[in-house]
Amino acid sequence: QVIARETLYVVKIGGNVIDDAPQLETFLEAFARINGKKILVHGGGKIATSIGDKLGITSQYVDGRRITDEATIDLVTMVYGGLVNKKIVAGLQAHHCNAIGISGADANLIPAVKRPVKTIDYGWVGDIKEDLLRPGIWEWFLVHQMVPVVAPLTHDKMGHILNTNADTIASALATSLSTAYQVKLVFCFEKEGVLADMEDANSVITELDHRRYETMKEGGQLFAGILPKIDNSFDAIRKGVYRVIIGNSSKLGQLIEGKGGTTIL
């Protein structure tokens, strides 16, 4: 007899929602209402850039990805691991959700390696070593009724914090925990889902398979910011995650019930 595995929700919230206080509050209220085990992974938002400007640290980007030099890794550690993470934790506690804020360095939760330099040196940016993720520690939090809130920071086990894509963290955690749970991975952002037409907010693709994705990508139909999300979604499905949905943060309750957004096949 096969015993049905318990559901675990891994939810990722994007920076644009974090930057919008009313949107974030709506999201946190909905996240707190999710029954069962859950993990929240958050992005950084524009707060690091604005605080960096005040401190005289200029943000540099290549193809939408932040270059993380020595000054910037200190900045994002303070902002993502401190300010953003703890505000989200406090917001969830206000909704009686027992959140605990963590980074990948805490308890060696997310080991990573500094991204090798090829054509571009991204600086202190981390690529996750998925084979070293230990689901047992995450299960300990979940079993003890705690809700991990994960900042987009990992570490290299040599004393360096590494800035790491939050979509990738969410996908890696969902994959690692899919051996113990039936994992539903939900990517929340400000749009209704993956759009067939970037100019039409209502052109949501309800189900997206890899073939259609490749065709749309080749045809330039997708905005660059969503590509890592979709790539991580297909990666998660391929590695055993039960369901992946991309949709609007304000409709989280509906998304986890399989209503709305884009389901990745």
Side-chain angles (χ1 to χ4, degrees):
Q1 185 183 351
V2 177
I3 299 169
R5 286 182 298 170
E6 191 175 358
T7 299
L8 167 67
Y9 299 96
V10 177
V11 181
K12 187 266 175 172
I13 184 71
N16 288 345
V17 177
I18 290 168
D19 291 331
D20 185 314
Q23 267 194 68
L24 179 59
E25 175 56 24
T26 300
F27 169 82
L28 293 179
E29 193 177 340
F31 180 83
R33 279 201 304 269
I34 296 174
N35 285 320
K37 294 181 168 53
K38 54 198 173 187
I39 294 172
L40 178 59
V41 180
H42 66 81
K46 297 188 181 75
I47 306 166
T49 302
S50 60
I51 291 177
D53 290 343
K54 290 174 191 169
L55 296 174
I57 300 167
T58 307
S59 296
Q60 294 175 284
Y61 294 88
V62 175
D63 298 331
R65 293 179 186 271
R66 187 188 287 272
I67 302 292
T68 308
D69 58 16
E70 294 283 352
T72 305
I73 192 61
D74 287 350
L75 173 69
V76 297
T77 301
M78 288 189 290
V79 176
Y80 300 169
L83 183 63
V84 175
N85 187 267
K86 300 314 172 195
K87 275 191 166 181
I88 290 173
V89 168
L92 287 172
Q93 293 290 357
H95 293 293
H96 313 289
C97 174
N98 194 21
I100 178 167
I102 51 179
S103 74
D106 297 300
N108 190 28
L109 284 166
I110 313 175
V113 290
K114 184 177 181 290
R115 182 168 298 163
V117 178
K118 292 177 183 171
T119 52
I120 298 159
D121 184 356
Y122 286 100
W124 296 108
V125 168
D127 292 328
I128 297 170
K129 297 174 83 167
E130 286 193 31
D131 56 321
L132 294 184
L133 288 176
R134 292 176 297 163
I137 306 179
W138 295 93
E139 287 180 63
W140 188 90
F141 286 122
L142 299 169
V143 166
H144 288 83
Q145 311 302 313
M146 285 185 263
V147 177
V149 176
V150 189
L153 302 166
T154 59
H155 77 126
D156 66 357
K157 297 193 81 173
M158 292 184 286
H160 301 115
I161 298 280
L162 299 169
N163 185 12
T164 303
N165 181 281
D167 291 335
T168 307
I169 289 176
S171 176
L173 287 182
T175 299
S176 175
L177 286 157
S178 64
T179 54
Y181 298 95
Q182 185 182 75
V183 181
K184 291 185 180 178
L185 173 59
V186 185
F187 289 105
C188 287
F189 67 149
E190 67 282 2
K191 294 185 171 26
E192 294 299 318
V194 180
L195 305 178
D197 177 357
M198 285 185 277
E199 306 301 317
D200 180 2
N202 297 314
S203 64
V204 179
I205 299 167
T206 54
E207 294 184 334
L208 181 63
D209 62 24
H210 204 268
R211 183 178 292 179
R212 182 170 184 188
Y213 170 51
E214 289 297 334
T215 303
M216 291 181 73
K217 196 161 66 167
E218 284 166 23
Q221 289 175 263
L222 299 162
F223 74 96
I226 203 167
L227 298 181
K229 238 178 224 50
I230 302 176
D231 286 334
N232 280 302
S233 297
F234 281 117
D235 192 47
I237 288 288
R238 202 164 49 243
K239 291 177 179 173
V241 172
Y242 176 70
R243 181 162 292 144
V244 183
I245 301 156
I246 300 172
N248 192 301
S249 65
S250 67
K251 296 176 180 170
L252 177 62
Q254 293 164 259
L255 294 175
I256 65 167
E257 290 172 10
K259 299 171 188 168
T262 301
T263 298
I264 301 297
L265 301 177

